[in-house]
Amino acid sequence: DMLGHGESSKPVGTLSLYSFMHQLVLLQQYFRMQQFALVGFSMGALVAQAYALSQGEHLSRLVLLHGVYDRNAEQRAGVRSRLQQAIENGPAAIIDAAISRWFTPDFQAANPAAIDRVRARLEANQPRDFLAAYRVFAEADAELAGRIMNIRCPTTIATGELDAGSTPFMSQEMATEIPGARCEIFDGLAHGAPVEDPARVTDLIRRALLRRAGT
């Protein structure tokens, strides 16, 4: 669980991308993992990029799923608008729109129980902690732009064809910037691909973990 979510400690003071990256450092130290594969999804992909830049010697593989990168002015205005709406009306005010962005209409119609589980998890977040994390999510990609070419471990990047926030263009840009990175696009899927089609996402991760360095 990330800071402020689930059973992780509640953050004190202002959070930054470094706060979440440091949490991962402490986890790596606690389990004494000298080398491991790291998979980051959505905001976790931002944390994973920051970790790879700071602690890359510990990574054998890196997988970035549905990550944002170097938002343009329109995209940044959109995420800031959602943040402001959550500040003014509470995080619950942006849940319906998030679910609509994350899942295809067919999946929503056919899997109401899965959608209800996602909604319940979002509703369980403490507003203060959610807003603190969402502020980081809204801005942290700018900290990483122009730096990720220094990531050196074998990297696989993927997003959904229909992901309006973590777009295919962003994933392709990351793959261009990171030496030797591979990029795959999940056709017909949006941001919630790990829920909507876990078999396809799992297959990509499996292939990434089996990938040899330099291939």
Side-chain angles (χ1 to χ4, degrees), residues 21 25 28-29 32-38 48-62 150-154:
M21 192 274 288
V25 170
Q28 174 259 322
Q29 292 174 347
R32 300 181 181 179
M33 297 181 291
Q34 293 308 306
Q35 272 221 321
F36 61 98
L38 177 61
Q49 290 173 65
Y51 185 90
L53 287 168
S54 174
Q55 308 286 326
E57 68 275 12
H58 294 296
L59 296 183
S60 61
R61 301 287 187 276
L62 177 65
N150 295 312
I151 294 175
R152 290 291 179 259
C153 63

Side-chain angles (χ1 to χ4, degrees), residues 90-150:
I94 65 174
I95 289 177
D96 285 341
I99 288 174
S100 294
R101 290 193 310 274
W102 293 352
F103 302 103
T104 64
D106 286 348
F107 181 82
Q108 293 180 58
N111 298 274
I115 297 300
D116 286 346
R117 286 194 295 271
V118 172
R119 184 186 302 279
R121 177 166 291 190
L122 293 172
E123 290 173 345
N125 289 327
Q126 294 298 312
R128 178 184 69 91
D129 300 327
F130 173 84
L131 291 173
Y134 203 81
R135 286 188 181 93
V136 175
F137 176 72
E139 304 293 343
D141 63 297
E143 299 178 35
L144 299 168
R147 297 177 56 208
I148 63 172
M149 71 282 294
N150 295 312

Side-chain angles (χ1 to χ4, degrees), residues 8-202:
S8 283
S9 61
K10 306 305 180 186
V12 176
T14 302
L15 286 179
S16 67
L17 182 59
Y18 174 81
S19 306
F20 293 98
M21 192 274 288
H22 184 61
Q23 182 190 18
L24 184 54
V25 170
L26 293 178
L27 190 68
Q28 174 259 322
Q29 292 174 347
Y30 178 81
F31 286 107
R32 300 181 181 179
M33 297 181 291
Q34 293 308 306
Q35 272 221 321
F36 61 98
L38 177 61
V39 181
F41 167 73
S42 192
M43 182 173 171
L46 290 171
V47 178
Q49 290 173 65
Y51 185 90
L53 287 168
S54 174
Q55 308 286 326
E57 68 275 12
H58 294 296
L59 296 183
S60 61
R61 301 287 187 276
L62 177 65
V63 182
L64 304 173
L65 297 175
H66 300 264
V68 296
Y69 181 68
D70 198 16
R71 293 182 179 99
N72 62 32
E74 181 181 358
Q75 292 162 340
R76 193 165 304 283
V79 71
R80 285 173 174 168
S81 175
R82 293 190 290 275
L83 173 60
Q84 189 60 35
Q85 184 181 1
I87 291 171
E88 294 176 358
N89 303 305
I94 65 174
I95 289 177
D96 285 341
I99 288 174
S100 294
R101 290 193 310 274
W102 293 352
F103 302 103
T104 64
D106 286 348
F107 181 82
Q108 293 180 58
N111 298 274
I115 297 300
D116 286 346
R117 286 194 295 271
V118 172
R119 184 186 302 279
R121 177 166 291 190
L122 293 172
E123 290 173 345
N125 289 327
Q126 294 298 312
R128 178 184 69 91
D129 300 327
F130 173 84
L131 291 173
Y134 203 81
R135 286 188 181 93
V136 175
F137 176 72
E139 304 293 343
D141 63 297
E143 299 178 35
L144 299 168
R147 297 177 56 208
I148 63 172
M149 71 282 294
N150 295 312
I151 294 175
R152 290 291 179 259
C153 63
T155 302
T156 300
I157 302 163
T159 194
E161 175 192 12
L162 307 176
D163 195 328
S166 309
T167 66
F169 179 79
M170 289 178 178
S171 287
Q172 290 157 357
E173 283 291 293
M174 285 191 280
T176 299
E177 293 280 342
I178 299 173
R182 289 180 173 179
C183 179
E184 293 191 25
I185 306 300
F186 300 127
D187 60 284
L189 294 176
H191 194 67
V195 173
E196 187 159 342
D197 196 342
R200 206 186 323 182
V201 176
T202 300

